[in-house]
Amino acid sequence: MTSQLPNPDSRLTGHPGDAIPLPDHGFATIDDLDGPSARELAEIPAIEVITKCAVMLMSSAAEKLGLAPDGDVYIDLDESRRLIAALAGLLSASKDTLGIHRQPLMDGLKTLQTAFRETSVIPDEPGEGPGEGLVP
């Protein structure tokens, strides 16, 4: 189905997204993924979605830094750098809405940044580590 942009003078009352053609992104839709359906996600408060996302980013970064409590040590600094930067960006963008969750999440971020610096053979300059410039 192709969408066409409506005439600005028309009286169409459809959903605003109906007129916006989205690029083919190649990713599965929400309903194709394991986990809650789009309808279920609509019922989950934003703060819960944000904190769950943050915890997932933290857990994945910790695994890639070799901090998993069980199993083989697996270290991938390039991947962990990306995850830590994404976590920092998420926390920065949502800092005003995190409430009581902000400090524990910030502490987790700081722990990951410290672990990254200690794991790196050639540590980044202060302030240049993953996500360090994103969170005040």
Side-chain angles (χ1 to χ4, degrees):
M1 178 179 156
T2 59
S3 297
Q4 298 215 358
L5 293 175
N7 180 337
D9 296 326
S10 72
R11 303 266 182 223
L12 292 178
T13 58
H15 187 276
D18 291 344
I20 302 170
L22 297 176
D24 181 19
H25 50 69
F27 296 108
T29 64
I30 290 174
D31 290 329
D32 292 339
L33 303 174
D34 290 335
S37 70
R39 173 121 1 239
E40 292 168 330
L41 284 173
E43 297 171 3
I44 300 172
I47 188 66
E48 189 174 332
V49 174
I50 293 168
T51 55
K52 282 186 178 188
C53 183
V55 169
M56 181 180 285
L57 288 167
M58 279 187 194
S59 298
S60 184
E63 290 277 342
K64 293 178 188 312
L65 284 171
L67 302 175
D70 56 331
D72 294 332
V73 174
Y74 176 82
I75 297 176
D76 187 331
L77 293 178
D78 188 46
E79 287 285 302
S80 62
R81 176 184 292 278
R82 292 174 187 173
L83 292 162
I84 295 168
L87 174 62
L90 175 64
L91 296 182
S92 179
S94 56
K95 68 181 177 188
D96 295 334
T97 62
L98 291 173
I100 62 170
H101 305 287
R102 186 174 194 276
Q103 195 55 55
L105 292 171
M106 293 298 294
D107 292 344
L109 172 62
K110 189 56 131 174
T111 298
L112 289 169
Q113 289 170 326
T114 300
F116 183 91
R117 186 172 299 282
E118 291 172 356
T119 305
S120 296
V121 176
I122 304 171
D124 295 315
E125 293 295 320
E128 298 295 321
E132 289 181 357
L134 298 174
V135 180

